[in-house]
Structure formats: C-alpha cells, structure tokens
Amino acid sequence: MLTFEYVARNAATGEKIKAEVQADSEQAAAKLVRQEGLSPITIKLKEGGRGLDKYLHRVKAKDRVLFSRQLSTLINAGLPLVQSLRNVMTQTQNKTLKATVSHVISDVEGGSSFSAALSRHPKIFNRVFISLIAAGETSGTLDKALERLANQQEKDAEILAKVRGAMIYPIIVLVVMGAVVGFMIVKVLPQVEILYEGLPNVTLPLVTRILLAVSHFVIKFWWVVLIVFVIGGIFTTKWARTVGGKHIVDKLKMKAWPIGPLFVKLYMARFARTGQTLIASGVPLIQMLEITADAINNVHVERSLHTAIEKVKGGKALSDSIAGDPNFLELVPNMLHIGEQSGAIEAMMGKIADYYEKEVDTQIRNISAIIEPVLMVILGVFAFIIVAAVLLPIYGLAGQTIIK
C-alpha cells in the first residue's frame, strides 16, 4: 500500500481538508476520498523520505533491470500491460520505483501510452528506456523491447561497476595516506619540537621547520582547514556541473593519464551498445544518434554525434560522418562502413560493443598494474619527508655532540 496526501473539499460545509490516505494507486485513493463524502482537489504521492533515507531508496540500475525483465516475462506470457505492471509493483522492493510504477499505472489507466507515462519520470527512466518502449509499442513487440532494455542495462551497469571498482583501490590508498600524514603532523611532529626546544644552539632543519609550521597552523586553525575542505568540495562539485566545468572534466576524462584511454573505450562501447539496442528495436538512424548522444554522458562525444547527425541528414553515411573525428577511435567508422556495405549495421555495432567492452576490461587490468607501484612511490616520498623531518634533528644533535 502507498500513502497519498490529498486536499479535498467537504461538500456540506465547504471546508478544505488536508489529510493522508493509503491505497494501491492514485485512482484508488481518489475513490476512498469520495467515499468519505469529500470532493478531491489534489492527490499526490507522499515523498518516501529525505536525506539518507531518500538516498538509500533511489532507483538503482539493478532495480530497473529487474523491472524490465519481470515485465517482459509477464507480457510475453499474455498478461495485459496494467495487470503486468501491478504484479511487478507488488514484487518491487524499492519504494521509489514502487511509487513511480503506481503513477505509471494510473496514467495508463487514464488513457496514456506506456511510453508517455514513463516519460513523466525522466529521473528514473532515461530517453533510451522511453524510446525503446515507444518503438516496442509501435511494432507490437513490447516484451522484446523490454528484454533488450534489460540486457543493455545489465551490460552498461556491469562495465560501469568495473570502472568504479578500478578507482576504489587508489582512493582508499590516498585516504589512508592522508590520514597517516595528518596523524604525523598533528601528533608526532609537536613531540619532536618539545624534545628539542630546551636544547641550546640547536637549529632544526628546513624540512622540519616547514612541517612544524604546517602542524601549528592545523592545530590552531583546524576549523579553517575543515571549512576550506567543505567549501572547496561543494564549490568543485557545483562547478563540475556547470557547462564550462563539464567541458573541462569531460576533456580530462578522455586525455588524462592513465584513465584517458579507459574512458574513450568506455564511450565507444556505450555508443555501440546503445546504438545496437535502438536499431534492433526499429528506431530510425537519426533518432538513434540523438538518443545515443544523450546517453553517452560526455559533452565532447555528444557534440561530435550532433555534428554527425547534420552530415547524415545531408546524405552522408554514418561511417563517413564520424570518420576523422578526434573523439571517435578509428576502428569505429571502419567497422561501421563494413556494416553499411553488408546491410548488417546492427550486428556490426554489436561487435564493436563486444570488442571495446573487452578492451575496457584489459585497460582496467593495465591501470591496476600501473597505479599500484605509482601509489607506493608517492606513499614512499611522503613517508621519507616525514621521517626526515623527525630524524634529521637527531643526526644534527649527534653530530654536534661528537664535535664537542
């Protein structure tokens, strides 16, 4: 059962009433309100929560995959769409998705097409999802479209999980390294200063004096450091979402070593896999390119695809339209050209996707092999600086004692 908030008018007194009601759908909630002798003005689903609760109940890729696959199975078994949606909703554990499906059911029962009902929830169902559903509705193969969606989402989620997994190790090492350096600066170095401050004619080495100055500042103005980190993090996050920030971040993803080649191959795989799925569902070439451009999630590749769209509209083949573009690897237009000549562009895009998905796996292994020794060197340099700051005064004091 879902909780709905409503505003209704009491027909007898004219009074406005705000309250909540539990029902399976918006229509069922309206029926319950009318049974109370009220005239509903607005009925809306109550938000499932805020903050951490809202984050925990976001719709993940695996939730959409399960939704697509279950719905495909039920429709293929001959169940009507609304009944299939109700069955899927009862099995859905995600509160946000359950509420969204309830809205979709209400819209479909009200006369909307399935794709139009889904399009009212763009944060959950992206343009690729909606376009494939619309193509399946038009061709009468909704179950097959849903199955293709599930397969496409699974592959996309799998490859993204591998990329994120490759980034976890260096992040953990950097966090631990930061914690160790912070402990040494805040706890160990002040003890070194106390040890030597009472000794006459002892000049601390430059590296020790620099780190002690940092230590004093951090201890005295820790709240300033904290505020700078928080404000810096918020500013950087917001800046990265601006047009200018996204251009720079997306360019760094494609050019920065060692992640550049990984992201370029990831975009090639995503372009080919999404394109293959859309073409297999009967989506026209121009529309496929427009939808794929949105799905790539890189402004530079997106711009290249929009340029290719204009060339295709002018009569050029897709392979010729992206040939020579710096944002596309040379193999992509070459293989697309073969597919266009043989009339099997869908199959060729599938092969491109398979190839680059394997390349992404290889690239991740290469990055893992490279980044571990690089991080160890960085960690060693930091450790050397800290140890030098602690030990050099001792060696200096020992040297003075021997001379005396």
Side-chain angles (χ1 to χ4, degrees), residues 284-298:
L285 180 61
I286 297 295
Q287 188 182 352
M288 179 274 285
L289 290 172
E290 290 173 347
I291 296 167
T292 305
D294 289 341
I296 288 292
N297 196 27
N298 184 288

Side-chain angles (χ1 to χ4, degrees), residues 305-334:
L305 282 172
H306 283 300
T307 302
I309 288 169
E310 296 305 315
K311 292 179 180 179
V312 171
K313 287 179 179 177
K316 270 193 170 185
L318 175 58
S319 57
D320 294 332
S321 300
I322 62 174
D325 192 298
N327 294 319
F328 279 87
L329 296 175
E330 189 176 349
L331 181 65
V332 177
N334 291 342

Side-chain angles (χ1 to χ4, degrees), residues 250-251 253-254 267 296-303:
D250 285 352
K251 180 61 73 174
K253 283 181 181 179
M254 299 178 72
Y267 295 140
I296 288 292
N297 196 27
N298 184 288
V299 294
H300 303 288
V301 181
E302 181 181 348
R303 186 179 57 203

